[in-house]
Amino acid sequence: MKDDAGRLFFATINTHLRRLASSSVPASFGAEQIRLSVSRKIILILDCCYSGSFTAGMLSRGGDRVEIDERLGGSGRAIIYSSASLEYAFELDGDAETRRAVGAETPRLSVFTGAIVNGLSSGRADRDKDGRISVDELYDFVFGEVAEATPKQTPGKFIDVHGELFIARSPITAEPARLPEDVLSAVTHPLPDLRKAAVDTLRRLVVAGGEQGRLANDQLVGLFEDDSR
């Protein structure tokens, strides 16, 4: 719920709408706990009306430095919310076909939560087929599913992460990691300028980590050892 000042509150079973401040949990309390937490990895998923209001005023606390261990797993804060600050979050109606379309077989599962359950349980959110589902991959999948189900609800995200933050393993078999064909072509091109142009892309892949990052690192080592000018 929101009060007259636009502040967000999480309602409980005994919340009184006229006394939100004293009978519910202010969203600012949750945001403060995230800010004070010593945990290096925090993922918050909010499925409620006006949930986009939760991220108001939240600032990035990380610097530009990326540590080696962060390349291997990522760290930071990620919030995925079901609706914009002025939007409602919808539950599905009784249409069984609509529920199945977003994987919401359980009665009263919302559009947003149904999409999350579907993406994680089916592995469809694993966009790059590497066997792991990152926060960004899950959000992209959920955004598309919710947009298809209802045009009146817009999921959003707040990401303050170094590296890549993974939320689950995919139940589908991972495809072997490989580098993009255009990058491999540039790395082996006879013109030094084209090989040099591939370095930035390879660096980003190394920072992202994973098997693809290891392959990118091998290519960079090969370029380093190349004796051509």
Side-chain angles (χ1 to χ4, degrees):
M1 303 298 298
K2 276 186 171 183
D3 65 5
D4 293 339
R7 295 175 299 181
L8 182 66
F9 294 85
F10 297 123
T12 68
I13 194 171
N14 59 346
T15 291
H16 294 277
L17 299 185
R18 295 182 180 275
R19 300 195 299 274
L20 286 177
S22 60
S23 65
S24 62
V25 181
S28 57
F29 173 81
E32 181 74 0
Q33 301 315 302
I34 290 176
R35 188 182 69 82
L36 297 176
S37 174
V38 297
S39 175
R40 296 180 65 248
K41 300 181 180 183
I42 297 176
I43 300 174
L44 174 64
I45 296 177
L46 292 175
D47 187 1
C48 61
C49 298
Y50 321 122
S51 52
S53 300
F54 185 87
T55 61
M58 296 193 73
L59 302 175
S60 173
R61 64 180 179 183
D64 295 330
R65 184 179 178 185
V66 179
E67 302 294 347
I68 294 297
D69 59 340
E70 291 174 352
R71 298 177 184 177
L72 302 179
S75 66
R77 304 171 296 169
I79 301 172
I80 301 177
Y81 48 89
S82 61
S83 57
S85 59
L86 298 178
E87 290 179 336
Y88 293 104
F90 292 94
E91 292 186 354
L92 296 170
D93 58 23
D95 186 274
E97 183 176 351
T98 303
R99 282 203 298 272
R100 283 195 296 271
V102 292
E105 296 297 341
T106 303
R108 295 184 60 80
L109 200 61
S110 71
V111 173
F112 178 76
T113 296
I116 288 179
V117 170
N118 184 18
L120 294 178
S121 61
S122 68
R124 292 174 59 202
D126 183 13
R127 296 298 182 91
D128 58 8
K129 308 301 181 185
D130 67 347
R132 299 176 298 175
I133 299 174
S134 70
V135 171
D136 285 317
E137 284 180 313
L138 179 62
Y139 170 76
D140 290 342
F141 174 82
V142 169
F143 184 91
E145 294 292 294
V146 173
E148 184 176 345
T150 172
K152 299 179 180 180
Q153 183 176 337
T154 310
K157 65 179 178 178
F158 173 90
I159 303 290
D160 178 20
V161 174
H162 292 312
E164 195 164 12
L165 197 59
F166 295 99
I167 191 169
R169 293 188 182 276
S170 173
I172 61 177
T173 303
E175 294 182 0
R178 57 182 180 270
L179 295 176
E181 292 297 328
D182 55 346
V183 175
L184 290 175
S185 176
V187 167
T188 58
H189 201 280
L191 293 178
D193 285 346
L194 288 181
R195 296 200 299 275
K196 182 179 178 182
V199 170
D200 282 342
T201 299
L202 292 171
R203 179 187 61 81
R204 288 194 293 271
L205 292 173
V206 170
V207 169
E211 184 64 17
Q212 196 175 50
R214 185 188 66 78
L215 295 175
N217 184 76
D218 291 344
Q219 294 293 335
L220 285 173
V221 171
L223 286 170
F224 179 77
E225 294 174 349
D226 188 342
D227 64 355
S228 71
R229 294 179 62 85

